Amino acid sequence: MKRSIRDLVNIEGKKILLRADFNLPMNKVGRFTDTTRLVNELPTIRFLVERGAKVIICSHLGRPKGFDFRLSLWPISLMLMKYFPGKVQFAHKVVGDEVKLQVDSLSNGSILLLENVRFYKEETENDPNFAKQLASLADIYVNDAFGVAHRKHASTYGVARLLPNAIGFLVENEINIITNALENPKSPFVAIFGGAKVEDKIDAILNILKTADSVLIGGAMAYSFMMARGQTIGRSFSSMESVKTAEEILNQAQAAGKKLLLPVDHVAYDYADKKQRTFVTETLSGEMVGSDIGPKTIKMFEKEIDEAKQVIWNGPLGKYEDDKFKKGTFEIAKAIGHSNAYSIVGGGDSVSAVKQARCLNLINHVSTGGGATLKLLEGAELPGIEVIQEKYI
Ligand code: ADP
Ligand code: 3PG
Ligand code: MG
């Protein structure tokens, strides 16, 4: 078990470098569309502030190439000020003498938010010198950036090796909930996978097949499974590689005697139809492009969810961004929300779909991670967590 901030003693006056994930989703004009990641970080910040630590927060936002004012963390500091009035300062840089002066001027229980750490290319390169500079700002390092824990960057990995360290409440919560659901599942355990590419999710599906009672497949990846089963898919999204991957998963599911359900009908349109008029069909052929699961499939999946005690869902079941193809994803979100099963949803698009279906607070655990959640579902190690010391050393 990793050392948590609860295990830190006498932190009054100590400088704590807290790596958070304030990479909030943004729309085209640069407005934040969801603040869950920030709100979920507040308990850790509050804990440190209340104990009189000097909290230096470091985060990335987007994937900038050098300085980019549109990806500055300044607006995040304004949001933090609302929660911690009079306690928040902003540093226009991440490392260097100016930042050190700001750190030195911090009073106990106050916060300094550093600028976007990805404005420095040394961050993603996990540059040892940059990690050293980061480490020189603080006495203790705390990683609470679950969403980016699968990256071996200077602020998630390099710096952790140079300071006494611990994980924060958000990371602790994510790891406990997801690993517990995988290792001690409540049965029947139903896993639902969708999204675009089966190759991205093969390891997660294979790992979940070990403990799940049934796996439901929807979204674009379903067509590769259908191909692998010898069904036609018309002009729906697929590739040679993904069919091979799907075949491997089908074989493993069969060998393990697990139920793997594919869609039995689809909402499709004709590729040649400029108006993209939709229709429901049980078979896909010719120019048909499957883009959502159909009503029979929704019913079939709902029945599985209704009987489940635990549901894990990753990946939309159709092209949900398009109103014509959102029904399958939204109905399944509602079914999961209203079921008695313990529910976990992960993946950027899946969480966004659940939110649009207005079911977010009906889900037991909404993961703040995308790639990191998938890695955890794969049973893989996350470098940002592995690097943190164990509790009893
Ligand atoms: P998550 O972010 O939840 O892990 P993914 O990124 O794997 O999910 O997949 C989401 C994408 O998959 C969405 O952009 C969605 O439009 C696409 N998608 C799902 N089903 C289909 C489909 N039938 N045809 C085309 N795209 C699809
Ligand atoms: C995310 O949004 O998934 C995390 O913040 C990680 O971002 P990244 O994929 O740009 O590393
Ligand atoms: Mg996605």
Side-chain angles (χ1 to χ4, degrees):
M1 197 189 276
K2 294 294 172 186
R3 187 192 207 200
S4 119
I5 46 172
R6 239 175 300 202
D7 305 315
L8 300 174
V9 282
N10 298 334
I11 55 173
E12 186 170 352
K14 290 265 165 65
K15 291 175 279 183
I16 298 199
L17 179 65
L18 170 65
R19 178 51 160 107
D21 184 353
F22 290 154
N23 187 23
L24 309 186
M26 271 194 289
N27 64 14
K28 282 183 197 126
V29 292
R31 284 248 166 83
F32 296 123
T33 53
D34 180 54
T35 57
T36 308
R37 280 180 167 172
L38 182 115
V39 172
N40 287 8
E41 191 51 42
L42 297 175
T44 294
I45 303 175
R46 223 171 258 136
F47 181 92
L48 298 173
V49 164
E50 279 168 6
R51 278 155 189 77
K54 299 172 178 174
V55 189
I56 306 153
I57 310 182
C58 169
S59 174
H60 72 287
L61 175 62
R63 293 175 179 173
K65 291 186 176 65
F67 178 81
D68 179 348
F69 71 95
R70 290 165 302 185
L71 294 173
S72 169
L73 283 182
W74 163 248
I76 301 274
S77 72
L78 302 181
M79 288 158 89
L80 281 174
M81 277 173 205
K82 287 196 193 134
Y83 293 101
F84 303 97
K87 292 192 169 174
V88 182
Q89 290 182 49
F90 183 69
H92 291 278
K93 294 198 171 132
V94 176
V95 290
D97 291 341
E98 271 173 57
V99 181
K100 277 204 167 151
L101 281 176
Q102 277 183 284
V103 169
D104 288 341
S105 73
L106 284 177
S107 52
N108 291 359
S110 63
I111 300 164
L112 178 68
L113 176 66
L114 307 177
E115 184 51 287
N116 189 345
V117 68
R118 285 197 188 162
F119 286 174
Y120 299 73
K121 68 174 181 5
E122 292 87 346
E123 159 67 355
T124 48
E125 291 167 354
N126 188 21
D127 179 88
N129 258 328
F130 187 66
K132 227 185 253 171
Q133 283 181 285
L134 276 172
S136 73
L137 298 177
D139 306 307
I140 299 169
Y141 170 79
V142 172
N143 188 357
D144 212 19
F146 178 71
V148 76
H150 59 313
R151 309 265 184 231
K152 211 168 181 174
H153 293 170
S155 72
T156 62
Y157 186 83
V159 65
R161 302 174 65 195
L162 305 174
L163 289 173
N165 55 45
I167 53 171
F169 294 133
L170 184 152
V171 159
E172 192 178 42
N173 212 27
E174 291 270 13
I175 305 279
N176 286 348
I177 290 177
I178 297 172
T179 48
N180 189 46
L182 293 177
E183 287 166 13
N184 312 300
K186 296 179 189 68
S187 186
F189 167 20
V190 174
I192 308 168
F193 282 99
K197 284 205 222 140
V198 62
E199 298 93 287
D200 293 348
K201 308 210 172 164
I202 175 173
D203 292 325
I205 301 176
L206 289 178
N207 190 43
I208 281 196
L209 264 174
K210 292 181 197 153
T211 47
D213 297 287
S214 51
V215 174
L216 319 182
I217 305 278
M221 68 161 73
Y223 311 120
S224 302
F225 282 87
M226 288 169 61
M227 284 272 272
R229 276 201 181 155
Q231 292 169 256
T232 55
I233 61 163
R235 284 189 77 138
S236 310
F237 182 91
S238 186
S239 69
M240 287 280 279
E241 194 193 349
S242 58
V243 176
K244 264 204 202 137
T245 308
E247 217 165 53
E248 192 182 330
I249 295 173
L250 284 174
N251 289 339
Q252 295 227 15
Q254 201 181 12
K258 295 288 164 78
K259 188 151 80 173
L260 194 146
L261 298 180
L262 299 183
V264 292
D265 61 349
H266 315 269
V267 180
Y269 65 93
D270 194 296
Y271 191 74
D273 178 9
K274 287 209 174 69
K275 287 195 176 149
Q276 290 201 354
R277 280 164 294 200
T278 63
F279 53 89
V280 172
T281 175
E282 288 182 14
T283 50
L284 292 164
S285 59
E287 299 293 291
M288 292 180 193
V289 186
S291 302
D292 192 10
I293 53 172
K296 279 192 184 161
T297 309
I298 294 176
K299 279 227 164 69
M300 178 174 84
F301 284 7
E302 278 173 348
K303 188 167 174 286
E304 291 290 320
I305 293 163
D306 200 42
E307 289 165 5
K309 289 256 161 52
Q310 176 175 300
V311 177
I312 294 186
W313 179 26
N314 178 282
L317 301 169
K319 230 168 123 183
Y320 78 100
E321 299 94 333
D322 185 333
D323 279 347
K324 297 198 287 280
F325 306 117
K326 68 182 184 190
K327 188 163 183 209
T329 301
F330 283 24
E331 290 301 311
I332 295 308
K334 285 183 208 154
I336 297 172
H338 292 291
S339 82
N340 294 322
Y342 185 82
S343 51
I344 297 178
V345 178
D349 286 285
S350 313
V351 171
S352 155
V354 169
K355 198 175 161 211
Q356 287 172 42
R358 300 189 180 278
C359 296
L360 207 58
N361 38 21
L362 298 174
I363 305 296
N364 294 91
H365 181 68
V366 178
S367 180
T368 54
T373 311
L374 210 53
K375 282 275 163 226
L376 211 53
L377 293 179
E378 288 171 13
E381 293 191 339
L382 303 177
I385 312 295
E386 283 319 303
V387 71
I388 302 297
Q389 62 200 82
E390 294 298 319
K391 194 164 179 162
Y392 299 111
I393 328 182

